[in-house]
């Protein structure tokens, strides 16, 4: 009998109502198989699902993945697509009394429990992505996961309710799922119910790069299905991936067969940014441009230095643990206003007067007469001069008296408080932030805005999982990392846990390349690492 392809193997398990795990390397089309499996179920079980008021659950790791899957199944209402937190919260929020009892027990075991003894009545419980405050009924990402497992483990009736509603539960990128969620799915839901609930895990254990993820999963209830095709990467890139991961050898199966691979050691150049400059010069001679290449660094801090917004990022780090995320998501009043200013300037420079009029309509002035255009042109020219040479404070001061965008009330409040006395700790930290950010060069706002708007070729390596690019340049600087060390991983001299994290991240980065892959080491490799690096990149060119 011929070997079943991945989709056929999945269908065989679904028809037999057995749970399964699809393990597939990068570029294998895992999500395509997941979508095809959903379409198969909708085609063959629609009548049964509708008659019994049941659904298929599809759990994703990110909202981006959620959106893609919804688009590909035309948002069919018989499939509940959501992130793991959305799915679990939808399950437990209907049982507030039982949930509150679990919260009390859960709180008692926390390292810093809250005092909940004086509460007259349980609060309304809500799930928030901004942290835990149990006394106000607010539970966090991690709390939702932990409390869901506790509820299911102590209330068997809840298992029957879940499995009667969801006959099949798929998990995309299973390797990034919490071990507690995998415990809930496999040890409590898989096989439970009148019609055994089927759990289908799709992912790649080698692409686990988040510490909270479960990684590889092996379980008696799971039928393993392995997929070896790589439809993304060229043959030379696949050869590198197979050296990294000999236990799952892939075949280059896509249209992009030709490609090139480069390993840059550049030991004749002093360690540091000049080694990257040398590599870029070599690649430019081979027609690698900023338009057709993506440069991957590990952290926003690394990119901030490259793109010159390191001081701005540091101020947001000082603001609090959510500060960098608020900067990148434009969730903080200063960056919201400053990026509006950048949008105004961009519209003017591009002569996009429709957008300019729209932005101006949100502020102080509407463009109705020719004199308005002259006033606005003069104001923007003045603004451009300060943007190029001044600080954020200089721009804020100019805008306070400018006929352009009005300063929002939230920014005005922060500006007033920065010189106030007798502030509490939270407002004092905010005032320090307001004062410090004013001294940062405004050019850093221009740089970070370009990065957020994806106008640069640079990305963080965590941020590209699932993406692909024609050419990829992976920049390795182990001196700025603590959780990863690619050099020691290659030398085989690091701790097992960090070695695994480093290899996984390196694999994820290299496997984003469709045609060309280049790896650039900014610093000298440790003893024993170069031999492994040369072996892995034997399919390409090594620049010693």
């Amino acid at each position: 009998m011929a070997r079943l392809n991945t989709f056929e193997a999945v269908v065989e398990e679904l028809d037999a109502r057995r749970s399964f795990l699809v393990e597939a390397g990068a570029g294998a089309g895992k999500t395509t198989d997941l979508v095809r499996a959903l379409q198969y179920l909708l085609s063959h079980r629609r009548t049964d699902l509708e008659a019994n008021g049941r659904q298929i659950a599809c759990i994703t790791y990110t909202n981006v993945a959620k959106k893609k899957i919804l688009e590909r199944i035309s948002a069919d209402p018989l499939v509940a697509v959501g992130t793991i937190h959305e799915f679990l919260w939808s399950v437990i929020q209907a049982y507030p009394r039982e949930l509150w009892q679990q919260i009390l027990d859960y709180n008692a075991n926390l390292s810093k429990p809250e005092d909940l003894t004086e509460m007259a009545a349980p609060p309304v419980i809500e799930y928030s992505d901004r942290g835990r405050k149990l006394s106000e009924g607010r539970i966090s990402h991690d709390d939702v996961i932990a409390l869901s497992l506790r509820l299911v483990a102590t209330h068997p009736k809840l298992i029957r309710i879940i499995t009667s509603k969801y006959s099949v539960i798929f998990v995309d990128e299973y390797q990034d799922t919490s071990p507690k969620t995998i415990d809930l799915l496999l040890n409590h839901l898989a096989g439970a119910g009148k019609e055994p609930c089927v759990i289908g895990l799709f992912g790649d254990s080698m692409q686990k790069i988040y510490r909270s993820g479960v990684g590889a999963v092996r379980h008696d209830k799971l039928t393993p299905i392995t997929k070896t095709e790589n439809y993304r990467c060229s043959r030379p890139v696949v050869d590198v991936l197979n050296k990294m991961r000999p236990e799952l050898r892939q075949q280059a199966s896509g249209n992009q067969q030709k490609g090139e691979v480069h390993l840059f050691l550049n030991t004749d150049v002093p360690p540091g940014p000049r080694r990257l400059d040398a590599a870029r010069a070599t690649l430019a001679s081979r027609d690698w441009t900023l338009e057709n290449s993506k440069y991957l660094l590990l952290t926003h801090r690394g990119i901030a230095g490259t793109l010159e917004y390191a001081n701005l990022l540091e101020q947001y780090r000082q603001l609090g643990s959510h500060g960098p995320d608020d900067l990148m998501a434009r969730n903080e009043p200063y960056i919201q206003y400053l990026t509006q200013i950048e949008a105004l300037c961009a519209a003017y420079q591009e002569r996009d007067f429709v957008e300019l009029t729209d932005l101006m309509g949100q502020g102080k002035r509407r463009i109705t007469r020719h004199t308005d255009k002259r006033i606005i042109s003069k104001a923007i020219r003045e603004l451009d001069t300060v943007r190029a040479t001044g600080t954020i404070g200089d721009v804020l001061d100019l805008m306070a008296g400018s006929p352009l965008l009005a300063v929002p009330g939230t920014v005005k409040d922060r500006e007033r408080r920065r010189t106030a006395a007798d502030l509490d700790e939270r407002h004092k930290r905010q005032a320090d932030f307001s004062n410090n950010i004013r001294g940062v060069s405004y050019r850093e706002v221009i740089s970070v805005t370009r990065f957020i708007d994806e106008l640069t070729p640079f990305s963080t390596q965590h941020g590209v999982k699932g993406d692909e690019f024609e050419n990829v340049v992976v920049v390795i600087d182990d001196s700025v990392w603590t959780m990863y060390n690619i050099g020691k991983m290659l030398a085989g001299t690091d701790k097992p846990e960090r070695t695994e994290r480093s290899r996984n991240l390196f694999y994820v980065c290299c496997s984003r390349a469709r045609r060309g892959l280049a790896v650039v080491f900014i610093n000298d490799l440790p003893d024993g690492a170069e031999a492994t690096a040369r072996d892995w990149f034997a399919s390409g060119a090594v620049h010693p």
Side-chain angles (χ1 to χ4, degrees):
M1 180 177 174
R3 175 183 175 272
L4 298 177
N5 64 36
T6 304
F7 174 66
E8 291 169 341
V10 167
V11 166
E12 186 174 84
E13 298 307 307
L14 289 171
D15 289 345
R17 298 192 182 277
R18 293 190 295 256
S19 295
F20 60 89
L21 182 151
V22 175
E23 179 79 6
K30 296 179 289 293
T31 304
T32 296
D33 285 325
L34 184 152
V35 169
R36 289 184 69 192
L38 288 174
Q39 292 167 338
Y40 172 82
L41 290 170
L42 291 170
S43 173
H44 289 75
R45 298 190 190 175
R46 181 175 294 277
T47 301
D48 178 64
L49 291 168
E50 292 175 337
N52 293 286
R54 307 180 81 185
Q55 286 183 297
I56 303 159
C58 181
I59 298 169
T60 67
Y61 192 74
T62 66
N63 284 311
V64 173
K66 170 185 172 181
K67 182 180 178 181
K68 286 182 179 178
I69 291 171
L70 281 169
E71 288 174 350
R72 293 172 70 176
I73 61 169
S74 302
D76 195 302
L78 289 179
V79 183
V81 184
T83 65
I84 184 61
H85 301 93
E86 290 172 337
F87 172 74
L88 293 176
W89 178 239
S90 74
V91 167
I92 66 175
Q93 66 176 326
Y95 307 97
R97 187 177 63 181
E98 293 85 352
L99 181 55
W100 180 247
Q101 185 56 56
Q102 290 301 324
I103 287 174
L104 292 175
D105 295 342
Y106 176 67
N107 178 61
N109 293 315
L110 293 174
S111 59
K112 294 182 179 180
E114 295 182 35
D115 184 3
L116 306 177
T117 57
E118 300 298 322
M119 298 185 62
V124 175
I125 303 169
E126 62 174 358
Y127 158 53
S128 168
D129 62 358
R130 300 299 297 192
R132 172 196 306 138
K133 188 70 173 178
L134 299 180
S135 59
E136 297 177 2
R138 196 170 72 225
I139 60 176
S140 68
H141 285 321
D142 292 344
D143 300 332
V144 169
I145 290 173
L147 291 167
S148 298
L149 178 58
R150 293 172 72 100
L151 264 179
V152 166
T154 55
H155 294 81
K157 181 181 178 181
L158 188 55
I159 296 174
R160 294 193 294 273
I161 293 171
I162 297 170
T163 56
S164 66
K165 183 175 182 179
Y166 301 109
S167 58
V168 177
I169 301 174
F170 286 167
V171 180
D172 189 29
E173 304 291 2
Y174 78 82
Q175 72 279 355
D176 292 324
T177 305
S178 161
K180 291 179 181 177
T181 302
I182 294 296
D183 182 356
L184 185 156
L185 293 171
L186 298 183
N187 294 327
H188 296 279
L189 300 185
K194 183 180 293 186
E195 293 182 4
C197 178
V198 175
I199 306 296
L201 306 182
F202 295 77
D204 180 5
S205 59
M206 187 83 165
Q207 294 193 58
K208 175 207 166 184
I209 59 176
Y210 301 102
R211 297 186 73 175
S212 59
V214 68
V217 173
R218 294 173 181 81
H219 198 282
D220 292 342
K221 293 181 180 178
L222 293 175
T223 301
I225 300 170
T226 302
K227 186 170 188 177
T228 59
E229 296 86 356
N230 185 320
Y231 297 103
R232 174 191 300 151
C233 305
S234 63
R235 190 179 299 277
V237 175
V238 170
D239 287 344
V240 173
L241 301 181
N242 287 339
K243 288 281 190 175
M244 276 187 222
R245 187 182 192 179
E247 65 273 20
L248 198 163
R249 296 189 62 81
Q250 292 187 302
Q251 292 91 41
S253 305
N255 296 326
Q256 182 66 65
Q257 292 291 313
K258 293 183 178 180
E260 58 183 302
V261 169
H262 298 268
L263 172 64
F264 288 94
L265 304 176
N266 290 343
T267 53
D268 58 333
V269 178
R274 288 178 58 188
R275 290 190 177 179
L276 176 57
D277 294 339
R280 292 176 72 174
T282 300
L283 294 172
S285 70
R286 302 186 63 83
D287 296 325
W288 291 44
T289 67
L290 292 179
E291 288 72 30
N292 66 21
S293 305
K294 197 74 169 179
Y295 285 73
L296 305 184
L297 299 89
L298 180 62
T299 65
H300 280 303
R301 183 179 298 169
I303 289 179
T306 302
L307 299 182
E308 299 179 344
Y309 61 84
N311 295 323
L312 182 62
L313 179 62
E314 183 57 32
Q315 296 310 317
Y316 276 88
R317 289 186 190 282
Q318 296 295 325
L319 187 58
S321 59
H322 290 289
D325 290 337
D326 287 339
L327 170 64
M328 293 300 156
R330 297 188 252 221
N331 283 336
E332 187 277 330
Y334 278 107
I335 197 62
Q336 285 176 347
Y337 180 51
L338 295 173
T339 50
Q340 263 195 316
I341 293 172
E342 286 306 290
L344 183 82
C345 292
Y348 182 79
Q349 290 164 3
E350 295 166 9
R351 296 295 187 263
D352 185 348
F353 293 108
V354 174
E355 175 69 8
L356 184 66
T357 302
D358 188 43
L359 288 166
M360 293 294 296
Q362 301 170 25
K364 296 179 177 180
R365 177 181 292 273
R366 295 183 182 275
I367 306 172
T368 58
R369 300 189 305 271
H370 185 68
T371 52
D372 293 331
K373 292 183 179 179
R374 286 205 305 270
I375 292 169
I376 289 165
S377 295
K378 182 173 183 283
I380 290 181
R381 286 196 299 272
E382 291 175 353
L383 174 59
D384 276 341
T385 300
V386 180
R387 287 171 65 241
T389 60
T391 64
I392 291 174
D394 293 333
V395 170
L396 291 173
D397 292 341
L398 177 68
M399 293 300 291
S402 169
L404 300 173
L405 294 176
V407 180
T410 52
V411 175
K412 287 182 179 178
D413 288 343
R414 283 161 170 75
E415 285 290 289
R416 280 193 294 266
R417 277 203 298 265
R418 69 186 180 84
T419 56
D422 300 324
L423 296 174
D424 60 27
E425 183 180 350
R426 182 170 70 87
H427 286 117
K428 178 66 167 60
R429 184 169 65 249
Q430 178 66 62
D432 289 342
F433 170 76
S434 297
N435 284 312
N436 291 336
I437 198 176
R438 289 177 64 87
V440 175
S441 168
Y442 190 84
R443 294 192 67 83
E444 298 203 15
V445 173
I446 298 172
S447 290
V448 77
T449 303
R450 284 175 57 83
F451 174 70
I452 295 171
D453 291 339
E454 298 183 349
L455 300 178
T456 78
F458 295 89
S459 289
T460 61
Q461 295 176 353
H462 282 91
V464 299
K465 197 152 80 77
D467 286 339
E468 57 184 62
F469 310 97
E470 181 179 350
N471 300 309
V472 168
V473 182
V474 184
V475 183
I476 308 295
D477 182 1
D478 285 328
S479 68
V480 300
W481 305 350
T482 55
M483 287 181 58
Y484 307 91
N485 192 301
I486 306 301
K488 287 186 176 180
M489 178 271 294
L490 291 168
T493 57
D494 210 353
K495 298 176 181 177
E497 182 183 356
R498 190 163 72 165
T499 293
E500 180 185 9
R501 284 201 306 268
S502 300
R503 188 176 75 139
N504 288 3
L505 184 63
F506 195 44
Y507 177 85
V508 167
C509 295
C510 294
S511 61
R512 300 309 97 196
R514 289 196 299 267
R515 192 197 72 88
L517 168 66
V519 172
V520 183
F521 284 91
I522 295 296
N523 295 308
D524 292 340
L525 287 172
D527 291 343
E530 184 174 336
T532 303
R534 285 177 174 274
D535 178 51
W536 285 8
F537 284 80
S539 62
V542 178
H543 305 265

